[in-house]
Amino acid sequence: MLRLGRREFAPHERVIMAIVNRTPDSFYDQGATFRDEPALTRVEQAVAEGAAIIDIGGVKAGPGEEVSAEEEARRTVGFVAEVRRRFPDVVISVDTWRHEVGEAVCAAGADVLNDAWGGVDPRLAEVAARYGAGLVCTHTGGSQPRTRPHRVAYDDVMADILDVTVGLAERAVSLGVARESVMIDPGHDFGKNTRHSLEATRRLGEMVDTGWPVLVSLSNKDFVGETLDRPVKERVVGTLATTAVSAWLGAQVYRVHEVAETRQVLDMVSAIAGEREPAVARRGLA
């Protein structure tokens, strides 16, 4: 059972984490949800379309203008508090690698710290433990925040992913984070080239077999774009294909931009797997 905030998710329940960027320079929407009202509208729409988790980020993942911890907190803390007020039952996640920001957003009502840079600040897990928050443990191949991979190599990329993410998860539990609130993430694109990310997807079952809930962040990423030779706005089909494969292999949480489309893909996979009844079943029965 995965427990995040007020919610519990059964082992075969496929969960959507909707991305809400509080940045003016997001690679995907170029700041469409930087201001409060568009961002709150995005939250409302995502929840209506089937997202159980809202992931709020104050710094874009890629290189760009430097954002201090103070500025990151300014972009996220008040917004977390307002989302908590308007949507008391939604799970609120914050994408940050800084313990100072983690402390502030947890105090404002965040339920999960999405450590997308793989424990680069070891104190972030301590914050999650102190506030009873969940934690995402991500593989980045040792990359520093907001850097791109350059000629990175692994003897066995999945072996490295397992070693790092399971190690981070076990450390978090040893610090006091609830075991049922820890997720592991292979970190597609982070510290990886396209072939590494494809292999991580192909072998995702090895992560699932560890027993830790697996989160995948696939949405419109560069490995999809390079595989199909498509720009950012034309990567939805490739993303959804990768989502279906990941779902079949057992990933549980999906960090996405396109919530409604992802919900349909996950529901279809669940039905094929025999874990969900069809919404309507009339064919051949009338």
Side-chain angles (χ1 to χ4, degrees):
M1 187 71 71
L2 176 63
R3 291 185 173 89
L4 303 172
R6 300 182 182 183
R7 301 287 300 273
E8 293 186 351
F9 304 99
H12 293 296
E13 188 173 355
R14 295 175 173 92
V15 183
I16 293 179
M17 171 189 275
I19 300 166
V20 179
N21 293 311
R22 303 309 317 282
T23 61
D25 52 357
S26 163
F27 91 98
Y28 179 74
D29 60 24
Q30 291 78 51
T33 53
F34 184 48
R35 294 185 299 108
D36 286 352
E37 283 311 312
L40 288 166
T41 298
R42 160 68 176 163
V43 173
E44 184 175 13
Q45 178 185 8
V47 171
E49 291 177 346
I53 308 170
I54 301 297
D55 191 50
I56 299 164
V59 185
K60 79 169 188 175
E65 182 178 344
E66 182 178 353
V67 179
S68 67
E70 292 75 16
E71 173 60 18
E72 183 184 357
R74 188 190 69 78
R75 295 176 180 182
T76 56
V77 175
F79 187 72
V80 166
E82 184 61 15
V83 173
R84 179 83 293 148
R85 186 183 73 81
R86 295 195 189 191
F87 304 92
D89 294 324
V90 77
V91 177
I92 300 176
S93 169
V94 175
D95 180 351
T96 186
W97 73 88
R98 292 163 163 153
H99 76 273
E100 306 98 320
V101 176
E103 185 95 34
V105 296
C106 284
D111 303 301
V112 178
L113 295 176
N114 180 8
D115 184 7
W117 289 103
V120 69
D121 181 347
R123 295 176 65 184
L124 191 66
E126 298 172 12
V127 172
R130 189 158 59 252
Y131 282 89
L135 185 69
V136 179
C137 301
T138 309
H139 178 270
T140 65
S143 299
Q144 290 299 302
R146 308 191 67 192
T147 61
R148 298 197 189 282
H150 178 68
R151 297 188 178 183
V152 62
Y154 300 93
D155 292 333
D156 182 329
V157 66
M158 182 50 73
D160 204 79
I161 289 169
L162 293 173
D163 183 59
V164 170
T165 58
V166 171
L168 289 170
E170 290 176 345
R171 175 181 181 270
V173 171
S174 74
L175 291 170
V177 181
R179 177 172 289 271
E180 61 270 23
S181 300
V182 176
M183 295 161 278
I184 59 175
D185 177 355
H188 288 81
D189 275 359
F190 282 46
K192 299 170 188 67
N193 61 33
T194 290
R195 290 184 176 86
H196 293 142
S197 292
L198 291 171
E199 182 172 351
T201 306
R202 186 163 58 248
R203 298 174 61 186
L204 201 63
E206 295 175 45
M207 294 190 75
V208 174
D209 287 345
T210 66
W212 297 98
V214 175
L215 178 149
V216 287
S217 183
L218 310 168
S219 196
N220 302 292
K221 284 197 167 178
D222 285 347
F223 82 95
V224 175
E226 287 194 353
T227 298
L228 301 177
D229 193 17
R230 290 290 184 268
V232 170
K233 293 299 182 180
E234 297 178 18
R235 298 176 184 176
V236 175
V237 173
T239 297
L240 295 176
T242 313
T243 298
V245 171
S246 300
W248 189 256
L249 292 174
Q252 185 166 16
V253 182
Y254 301 79
R255 183 178 180 271
V256 305
H257 297 99
E258 287 82 18
V259 175
E261 295 87 341
T262 303
R263 186 71 271 162
Q264 288 188 49
V265 168
L266 297 179
D267 287 350
M268 193 69 196
V269 172
S270 294
I272 293 168
E275 297 159 1
R276 178 184 184 274
E277 289 297 314
V280 177
R282 290 190 289 260
R283 181 173 175 82
L285 301 177

